[in-house]
Amino acid sequence: MRRAGPAPLAFAASALVAAVAALAASPLRGQEPIRARGLGGARPESAALALSGGEGGDLRLTVAAWPLPAPEGTGGPTVLLVVEADGQSLLRRSETPALPLEWTVYALGADGAVTGFLAEGARIEGREEVVDTGVRFTAALALPAGLQSLRVLVRHRASGAFGVRKVDVEAGAATGAFALLPPPEAEPWVEVRSGTIPETPSPLLAALLAAGPSALPAARPEGGGRIAVWPPPEAAPRVELTAEGASSPVAAGEALPAAGGASPGVALFELPSLAAPPGLYRLALAGAPAAGARVAIVPSGAALPPRGWPALFAQVGAPVAAEAAGAPPPEPSPAESAGAAELERAFAASYLAALVELGAGAPERAVAWLAEQEAAAVASERREALRHLGRAQDGVVARLAARDAEVLLPIADLHRRLFAAHLGAGHPGLARQSLEQAVAATRRYAGAATDPEDRRLAAASFLGLAATLFESSIPRRAAELAAEAEKLVPGHAAALLAQVVVLERAQQHREALSLLDRLLKSEPGHREARLRRALVDQRTGAKRGPERELRALVEEPARDWVSAVAAQELARRLVEDRRAEEAARLLAAAEARLGEEGGLAVARAWAEERSGRRGAALTHLERIPPPSRLRGDSPRRRDGRWPEEALQAERRAAIEAALLRCPVLAAALEAAGGETAK
């Protein structure tokens, strides 16, 4: 039988050539990786989230891990970990071009004991590649042989945005390890390398680092992608493609030896044809002990996305709409059952299946399952389905909440996600139903609250819903939920600001002033509230008061968007009062302090022109740097929209609380047994 890999004696001779060839094809394209630094330990909240076993957050992440051969002696790496964060989700949470990120990784053995730990951070500045692809973090972990569960948390240190994922890997596996390599035309990631990677890695690790395998590779059903297999097998391996959640392969074929030889300890093959509809699958080698890896199959005839999996994301944040190709045929829609009681029992069973996934820490799988089941039911029997669906879910929630009210937070977050999924899929009736279930769960939790912390979490759940409603252009309902949150936590700044923005847009200035006064009574120094108060006063014709407050906001040492908007508004007021030279001096001083982030360059040129210095205005305009794709929204745009950062922070707190309570939900489901399906 012909050996697929190179002969052992050829390893040394081919090492240098293979390494150079691999590096030339590397997605780094000459960019030096950023080196992460140790943080000395994990924050308590990061440790709790990572160890919770749940997955979720507001950063889009994919994680993959590959086993490395057990090194001779002790202390060498046995697992290669890659964590990829989508650039758009990172930049949405950033006020400046800098990205201060931290990675926390825990490894748990089969007995649940911690077998490895990593906490590192890096600050990324001036790298425009972030916009197109994102940030890839690579680490080499020295873990004991055997099955390891890696819990990975990525956090944006400035905004608090986070994503948490988990992946299992057989550390030190001797056979069946492989990686699907990116195409040569792949766009580069911003590479961050962990301090765990040795200065002189093994030939195998060096080859993998140079090739840069993706945590979620894409493949074409026609085949042709390259896979690296280690150690080199005796014969070309058989590749199997399995739909996520299914057990039987939907497609399989024998890999073909790839041209170009191999790197030390690695054999290269080409994927065979794997005819399957687009979606997410597991790719594995037949007979190998390893569980395989996730892969996204693109539509037939389509080119692989040069920007990797971030290019596959839709608005709802899921790569390539998955089809259950080859999976067991779906159960009949609950709406096909005869009789209301049978219908509600079928709905309750579907709901319980989703809650089991949620209790296991997989909210995304729970949402996908429930969205599919509910859409099928309503499509077949629209008039009755929504009413019976609500009754079935109400009954399940009531019985679970009677055991432990803490289950209501993950359930509320599940329905918030489901609302967004149904709305994005064009199912407004189901979206409305999901929203009301989320509101009902939150109200039930608030009604059971016994201390200020419980009420604060209930308020965060309401405000998380409000944030999602604002994003869906449903501002009035968002303001109503913000009002409910403020009743739970009187004087809550984010809750009051959410209502103020809606009132301002409706020209209800008196009501907006009343809420702003209430906020400033509890937080006199709140800068956004002071700015909005001054602007409402200005719109309603107040004389000297707005100017004094705007000047105070400009002169305070804070360097934020509030300072920039206050400077613009004060300059406009000064120009209207025929004090254009004073306005130009004010903007020059503010621009010097705030820098480019303030967005004051055009306003300053306008003030110079209005003061009669047209030449100075033109010179200033010529010096304005070209726009950077790394910069977020301008201060003026931030002033004109809902309090995004404050509400996203509340939603993040609600998501964290929900993830941490998934085990409580799992315990309640287990204790209830079949009772909840009655």
Side-chain angles (χ1 to χ4, degrees), residues 288-443:
R294 294 176 84 208
V295 62
I297 299 295
V298 302
S300 180
L304 296 181
R307 294 173 184 171
W309 63 263
L312 302 177
F313 265 92
Q315 292 298 319
V316 294
V320 192
E323 298 182 18
E331 296 293 326
S333 164
E336 295 173 8
S337 305
E342 291 83 356
L343 184 63
E344 288 182 17
R345 275 197 291 270
F347 276 136
S350 282
Y351 191 48
L352 282 169
L355 292 182
V356 168
E357 291 283 5
L358 180 61
E364 292 168 359
R365 288 204 301 269
V367 168
W369 162 262
L370 205 51
E372 180 182 359
Q373 293 292 307
E374 292 182 356
V378 172
S380 61
E381 200 168 321
R382 185 181 302 273
R383 177 175 296 178
E384 296 296 322
L386 281 176
R387 181 165 59 89
H388 292 302
L389 174 65
R391 288 181 58 178
Q393 292 180 350
D394 286 343
V396 172
V397 172
R399 285 186 281 273
L400 289 172
R403 292 186 174 273
D404 195 331
E406 296 298 316
V407 305
L408 293 165
L409 287 178
I411 288 174
D413 188 62
L414 169 72
H415 284 283
R416 179 192 62 79
R417 296 169 186 260
L418 196 59
F419 161 75
H422 281 317
L423 201 62
H427 302 305
L430 284 169
R432 190 180 308 111
Q433 174 97 2
S434 299
L435 175 63
E436 293 313 313
Q437 288 288 5
V439 172
T442 302
R443 285 174 178 161

Side-chain angles (χ1 to χ4, degrees), residues 429-502:
L430 284 169
R432 190 180 308 111
Q433 174 97 2
S434 299
L435 175 63
E436 293 313 313
Q437 288 288 5
V439 172
T442 302
R443 285 174 178 161
R444 190 189 293 264
Y445 183 82
T450 57
D451 58 43
E453 177 62 16
D454 292 341
R455 287 191 288 275
R456 188 193 67 78
L457 288 176
S461 184
F462 276 129
L463 293 174
L465 286 167
T468 302
L469 286 165
F470 273 120
E471 290 170 346
S472 306
S473 300
I474 311 176
R476 286 198 172 275
R477 185 70 172 116
E480 291 170 2
L481 295 182
E484 292 199 47
E486 204 263 335
K487 289 178 182 177
L488 291 168
V489 184
H492 195 300
L496 289 168
L497 284 174
Q499 298 172 74
V500 165
V501 169
V502 175

Side-chain angles (χ1 to χ4, degrees), residues 39-137:
L39 299 176
R43 304 183 190 186
E45 62 271 24
S46 296
L49 271 175
L51 291 170
S52 70
E55 296 184 288
D58 42 5
L59 297 182
R60 297 196 299 222
L61 304 178
T62 58
V63 176
W66 294 271
L68 301 173
E72 296 181 4
T74 59
T78 56
V79 169
L80 175 65
L81 172 69
V82 170
V83 183
E84 293 171 343
D86 167 50
Q88 294 295 332
S89 70
L90 288 171
L91 291 169
R92 268 207 315 271
R93 274 82 191 178
S94 180
E95 287 189 47
T96 70
L99 290 177
L101 303 178
E102 63 181 39
W103 295 264
T104 303
V105 181
Y106 284 90
L108 305 183
D111 60 355
V114 175
T115 57
F117 168 74
L118 175 152
E120 295 184 345
R123 184 179 177 85
I124 302 167
E125 298 189 71
R127 299 290 291 270
E128 294 245 350
E129 315 94 286
V130 171
V131 179
D132 296 326
T133 309
V135 177
R136 181 193 353 237
F137 174 77

Side-chain angles (χ1 to χ4, degrees), residues 32 99 267 293 342 346 496 550 572 591 668:
E32 281 295 321
L99 290 177
E342 291 83 356
L496 289 168
L550 291 172
R572 185 168 66 83
E591 187 181 22

